[in-house]
Amino acid sequence: MKLFRIPLWLWLVFLVAGVGYAFHPFALKQMMKIEQNRLLAQPQPTLSTMPQRLDFTKQMADLTYLASEALAGRGTGQPGGAKAQQWLVTEFAQIGLAAAGTAGYLQPYQPTTGKAQLMKGAANVLGRIEGTDPTLPMLVLTAHYDHLGVHQGQIYFGADDNASGVAALLALARYFKQHPPRHTLLFAALDNEETGMWGARMLFEQELLKPAQIKLNINMDMLSQNTDKQLIAVGSYHYPQLEKPLQQLQQQSSVRLLLGYDRPAWLVGTHQDWTFSSDHREFHNRAVPFVYFGVPDHAHYHQPSDTVDNMDPEFYREVSETLLDAVLLFDAS
Ligand SMILES: [Zn+2]
């Protein structure tokens, strides 16, 4: 039966594919290990404390409110999400940010595909501080304020994910209102990250922002807990110009700032490429440089136990001061 005669080369292809398939999980684990070691080989911080420049008492009060029962996990389209939105508008106004949405501070929008299109009342909250040099492109600071909301009768509080990022965003806005930056800063509390990153996407699709106006996106998502005091800075693999300022930041910070988690999945495995894991994705997709700050995954991630009690305030304070240094460095360069 000539028809079923399989040439030797095809047998070899089958063999290689079979062995490759069986070997894949092992190879993935090895890749992850190599990437971990590569990250940990980076220099240790030398400072033991960070200066106190941000109003951390107010910042903790903001985080506690955002992650409280009253806001019920800030689900997009849920009453808690709407409440968070209104509260952010009030805060932005109190800080004295210039309204930068399409309806005052708000940029309402409607997701158009998937489950998200059932969600009503989605909106980003946007405010800006003008830079002292109007010829410079802007820095866009982002943190998503939505979380999973109420699901099957349970509140997903989202203290770390991402009340921590939003409270840091507000603290930075307060600081820069008192200390004018060179670049214009856009403060964007984004909606719908958990359900398709619609908030970030709509910044561009509604043409509120054009890629050419932006020097850098600094995205903050999950900042408040890691037992090894690790904070990851993602993005310099794609945008090597960020490496120098980030290495300087590494020296200044008292947390263990590690550059990485941004090399392609075929090198490091999908779990360790975070290029597309949060709102910075939408900037990267439009060739806008980004740096994403966040902690490694933890046991409370996307669990009802992601509460204020389970975060680490001292680590969070140090991370926030590190982020202030980051903005100062990028503003100076
Ligand atoms: Zn998040």
Side-chain angles (χ1 to χ4, degrees):
M1 290 263 284
K2 238 184 172 158
L3 196 65
F4 291 103
R5 244 235 199 103
I6 297 171
L8 183 66
W9 66 268
L10 199 53
W11 278 114
L12 281 172
V13 168
F14 286 153
L15 188 72
V16 169
V19 170
Y21 184 74
F23 188 67
H24 184 247
F26 175 74
L28 214 63
K29 230 178 177 173
Q30 284 309 107
M31 286 196 302
M32 286 173 77
K33 225 188 218 162
I34 293 166
E35 181 66 357
Q36 281 293 344
N37 292 340
R38 193 184 71 85
L39 256 64
L40 291 174
Q42 294 175 31
Q44 289 267 16
T46 46
L47 293 181
S48 56
T49 51
M50 293 290 292
Q52 182 74 56
R53 294 158 295 183
L54 301 173
D55 181 350
F56 191 63
T57 310
K58 170 71 173 137
Q59 190 180 335
M60 272 307 290
D62 289 349
L63 184 149
T64 307
Y65 177 64
L66 285 164
S68 69
E69 231 175 284
L71 295 196
R74 312 176 303 281
T76 307
Q78 294 185 356
K83 239 175 166 175
Q85 212 176 78
Q86 281 315 312
W87 179 80
L88 282 165
V89 167
T90 315
E91 286 298 308
F92 274 37
Q94 251 168 31
I95 294 169
L97 298 181
T102 49
Y105 291 102
L106 290 177
Q107 181 202 7
Y109 62 85
Q110 178 64 49
T112 49
T113 56
K115 269 189 190 162
Q117 64 183 316
L118 301 174
M119 295 171 174
K120 303 284 172 225
N124 295 325
V125 187
L126 306 163
R128 57 193 269 161
I129 296 176
E130 296 307 321
T132 52
D133 184 347
T135 62
L136 297 175
M138 64 172 110
L139 302 175
V140 180
L141 279 63
T142 51
H144 74 87
Y145 71 89
D146 68 301
H147 189 57
L148 305 174
V150 181
H151 185 64
Q152 294 182 334
Q154 258 188 320
I155 299 177
Y156 288 70
F157 294 93
D160 189 41
D161 186 9
N162 183 30
S164 68
V166 176
L169 184 81
L170 293 169
L172 291 170
R174 271 178 217 113
Y175 177 90
F176 283 105
K177 191 66 197 166
Q178 302 306 319
H179 305 84
R182 288 171 65 227
H183 298 75
T184 291
L185 302 183
L186 178 68
F187 294 88
L190 298 175
D191 204 352
N192 262 140
E193 189 272 347
E194 303 285 7
T195 37
M197 300 178 201
W198 279 99
R201 200 170 144 179
M202 285 299 175
L203 289 174
F204 296 101
E205 286 194 4
Q206 285 191 351
E207 295 204 352
L208 197 79
L209 285 183
K210 292 195 172 61
Q213 300 171 298
I214 307 169
K215 173 180 168 161
L216 177 68
N217 166 228
I218 301 172
N219 187 31
M220 299 172 279
D221 191 357
M222 297 172 59
L223 306 174
S224 67
Q225 50 173 298
N226 182 260
T227 43
D228 299 320
K229 285 183 76 166
Q230 287 179 9
L231 178 70
I232 315 293
V234 178
S236 59
Y237 173 84
H238 302 287
Y239 306 100
Q241 71 270 29
L242 301 178
E243 208 167 283
K244 228 175 154 186
L246 286 173
Q247 278 167 347
Q248 192 179 333
L249 187 63
Q250 210 166 33
Q251 297 303 320
Q252 287 170 219
S253 176
S254 60
V255 299
R256 187 93 201 266
L257 184 72
L258 300 173
L259 281 58
Y261 288 103
D262 45 11
R263 299 198 301 162
W266 61 265
L267 261 178
V268 297
T270 41
H271 289 307
Q272 294 191 317
D273 179 11
W274 296 356
T275 305
F276 302 96
S277 70
S278 176
D279 290 320
H280 53 271
R281 170 184 91 178
E282 297 300 322
F283 291 81
H284 180 61
N285 282 344
R286 291 162 181 83
V288 176
F290 76 88
V291 54
Y292 158 49
F293 292 99
V295 295
D297 273 351
H298 50 72
H300 306 296
Y301 172 72
H302 282 198
Q303 298 297 322
S305 63
D306 182 4
T307 59
V308 177
D309 294 343
N310 284 324
M311 60 170 286
D312 175 348
E314 180 50 23
F315 172 68
Y316 178 48
R317 188 190 74 77
E318 290 174 303
V319 166
S320 306
E321 293 292 338
T322 302
L323 295 181
L324 170 57
D325 270 348
V327 182
L328 288 170
L329 280 167
F330 291 123
D331 187 43
S333 65

